[in-house]
Amino acid sequence: MKPGRHQAGAVLRLDVLATPLAVARIASILAHRQFDVVTMDIAAPVDGLRRITIEVDTADDVRLQQLVKFLNRSSDVVKVIRLSDDTSHNRRGAFVTVAFPEGRLAEAVAIARAFSAEIVEADRTRCTVFTAAEPARVDDLVRALSGFTIRELVMAAPLRIPRPLRKHTATDRGHTWGQR
């Protein structure tokens, strides 16, 4: 993925049993079905369950429904929820290190401030910027900083949590794939 270009896709949140091979089985299902995994975040186990958030590069609802069926067939999977932009809060963290000619630090600081980003380290010819924002806003920041030389770009997997006041689409064992 090029800096500043967020890929469209779907985000699934899985609750799986916290067994040694559960994550490997989930990865195997994704690989066998030839899904391009953009990001995968695996949380530490809580009460015997591990939460896995997967961003796959597909907007095809039929393929996504098939993936959910395959995931639900796994004995490790307890629940699968599709997280969309309107049913969840979505943020992405990023560190961007840029280099520039001496005397241009003020420009980089101004760009960071315009995006409510933080300068975590700076000297006369480079600085590191940190932000946690909606993915499109992170992409816009990276594009704005691309006038400088981007030395390093580190982006975290998207952080998503369901909006408690809005209904989300869930797929539990015994239920069918829900449409909003």
Side-chain angles (χ1 to χ4, degrees), residues 16-148:
V16 301
L17 298 176
T19 61
L21 293 177
V23 175
R25 288 186 191 109
I26 299 303
S28 176
I29 290 169
L30 292 164
H32 186 71
R33 303 291 177 246
Q34 297 181 347
F35 275 90
D36 183 20
V37 176
V38 178
T39 62
M40 178 183 253
D41 181 57
I42 304 164
V46 175
D47 295 331
L49 292 178
R50 185 179 298 276
R51 180 156 290 164
I52 301 174
T53 305
I54 303 168
E55 183 179 13
V56 292
D57 187 18
T58 186
D60 184 347
D61 273 343
V62 173
R63 280 196 76 213
L64 208 50
Q65 288 175 14
Q66 290 173 340
L67 175 61
V68 170
K69 287 179 186 177
F70 287 120
L71 289 168
N72 273 322
R73 287 183 192 154
S74 172
S75 60
D76 298 310
V77 175
V78 176
K79 179 170 45 174
V80 178
I81 297 174
R82 181 175 182 183
L83 298 173
S84 66
D85 287 341
D86 53 335
T87 62
S88 65
H89 298 285
N90 182 12
R91 299 293 183 270
R92 183 182 299 272
F95 283 99
V96 186
T97 300
V98 294
F100 40 77
E102 197 166 326
R104 292 191 60 198
L105 174 60
E107 293 175 51
V109 170
I111 291 170
R113 283 188 180 151
F115 285 90
S116 301
E118 175 186 356
I119 303 288
V120 294
E121 183 177 35
D123 66 21
R124 295 177 314 198
T125 60
R126 75 174 46 210
C127 71
T128 300
V129 177
F130 173 76
T131 190
E134 293 183 0
R137 185 120 170 112
V138 173
D139 293 344
D140 291 343
L141 170 64
V142 173
R143 264 192 297 282
L145 290 170
S146 67
F148 303 112

